[in-house]
Structure formats: C-alpha cells, structure tokens
Amino acid sequence: MNTSTNAEEINFTIDESLILVHDKAETREEIINKLGKLLFDQGFVKDSYTQAVIDRERTYPTGLQAKVAGVAVPHTDTDHVNHPAIAIATLANPINFHVMGSPEDQVPVEIVIMLAVHDAKLVIPILRKVIFILENDQALLKMKNANSKIEIKKAMLDHIKELKEKEKTK
C-alpha cells in the first residue's frame, strides 16, 4: 500500500513515515531535530537542512496561536531541500516556540508542521496553505487528538482538499 501523497496541486509529499504522534520532545530544537532526521533519512532534505531550520527559527520564529492549539511551522531556505515534503508532529506536552512576528512572545505549541520546500516560488503559496489550517478548528482538533499517523495525515489532506474547493468557488 502506498501511504504517500504527492499530488501536484499540493506541491509536497505527506507520508506517514514523516509523522510523529504524541512525541515527548521537550525543546524546539529536539522536535526540529527529530522531524529533520525523518526528512533526511528518506532523502527529502540535505544534511544541512535541520541546522538551517534551527538557525532560522531563532531569527524568524514560527509559533502561531490558533483557537484550539498552538502551532509551529518551522522551515528554511530551498537550497537545503532535495524534494518537497511535510513532516508533522503532535506533542505529548506543549513546547514553547517564539511567536511569528512577535519574537519576544512565546506560544505553547502542540502541533509542529515542518516544511521542506524545494522551489522558492512555492514557499509562500505552500506556507499560506499550511497556515490557513489555523483557521480550521476542526482539522487542528483532529490532528491534536489523533492517536495515529493515518488520522493526522487524513486531517491535513482533508484541510488541503477543503482549501482547494474554496479556491474553485472564488
């Protein structure tokens, strides 16, 4: 069974092997390292990717507060990426990330959505699609409460499908 989704309309791979459920990481760096290792081990990113994400997170934090959960969307420059993908972790205990656009503030994050984007022209469109999940309480709750990789993947894919439907009706 192929668990990978690599549809051109979403521009990246979401694979169950890139998902962590109720991970027990205790720091931003630890969860970024874990997700980066998953991406690297499968050839999606170069060996420079994880450290580049950590460095970027210090300068340009990605923590965001939604109504139902804190979310972080760490990513880095496209030159560290071989193939587009997304790695996702739900956390057993929230980890503080600095807030996007307000680095002096922190948000307790329960969902980390780490992007590996290979084409500079796609960074903003993909980031937008992912960040719109903050407005989708139902998708975030499904991810936050999921007990399996399949449930998390389905919640993310359903969210992206819903966005596509909305774009069609515009």
Side-chain angles (χ1 to χ4, degrees):
M1 179 172 93
N2 184 358
T3 60
S4 177
T5 300
N6 193 3
E8 284 188 25
E9 69 270 6
I10 60 173
N11 302 316
F12 48 79
T13 297
I14 299 174
D15 190 277
E16 288 150 31
S17 64
L18 300 175
I19 297 173
L20 300 173
V21 183
H22 305 305
D23 193 83
K24 292 179 174 31
E26 295 182 15
T27 66
R28 291 184 301 274
E29 291 80 9
E30 184 180 356
I31 195 61
I32 289 170
N33 274 308
K34 285 181 175 186
L35 292 174
K37 182 174 179 354
L38 293 177
L39 289 163
F40 177 74
D41 286 350
Q42 295 193 40
F44 287 105
V45 299
K46 298 174 182 166
D47 60 357
S48 59
Y49 173 82
T50 302
Q51 188 59 51
V53 172
I54 290 169
D55 293 345
R56 187 186 185 287
E57 189 68 31
R58 287 185 190 125
T59 309
Y60 301 104
T62 63
L64 297 161
Q65 182 63 59
K67 272 192 254 175
V68 298
V71 179
V73 189
H75 56 284
T76 194
D77 298 326
T78 58
D79 54 336
H80 301 283
V81 178
N82 296 321
H83 308 286
I86 182 172
I88 302 169
T90 59
L91 301 171
N93 299 298
I95 295 173
N96 283 333
F97 273 71
H98 291 279
V99 176
M100 183 184 292
S102 183
E104 63 281 355
D105 296 324
Q106 293 192 31
V107 59
V109 166
E110 297 169 90
I111 301 169
V112 180
I113 303 170
M114 198 153 93
L115 304 179
V117 183
H118 71 305
D119 182 340
K121 294 185 298 272
L122 298 175
V123 172
I124 299 300
I126 290 173
L127 196 55
R128 244 187 228 127
K129 281 182 181 173
V130 171
I131 287 178
F132 273 127
I133 201 167
L134 297 175
E135 298 172 5
N136 188 336
D137 294 347
Q138 184 179 4
L140 282 178
L141 281 172
K142 283 181 183 176
M143 290 175 76
K144 180 177 155 179
N145 297 326
N147 290 311
S148 74
K149 296 176 179 194
I150 292 170
E151 289 176 83
I152 292 170
K153 177 182 172 182
K154 182 174 178 355
M156 180 57 86
L157 291 176
D158 287 350
H159 163 69
I160 292 167
K161 183 179 176 186
E162 194 177 304
L163 277 180
K164 273 194 64 162
E165 294 302 317
K166 286 180 182 176
E167 289 171 4
K168 283 182 187 176
T169 61
K170 285 186 181 178

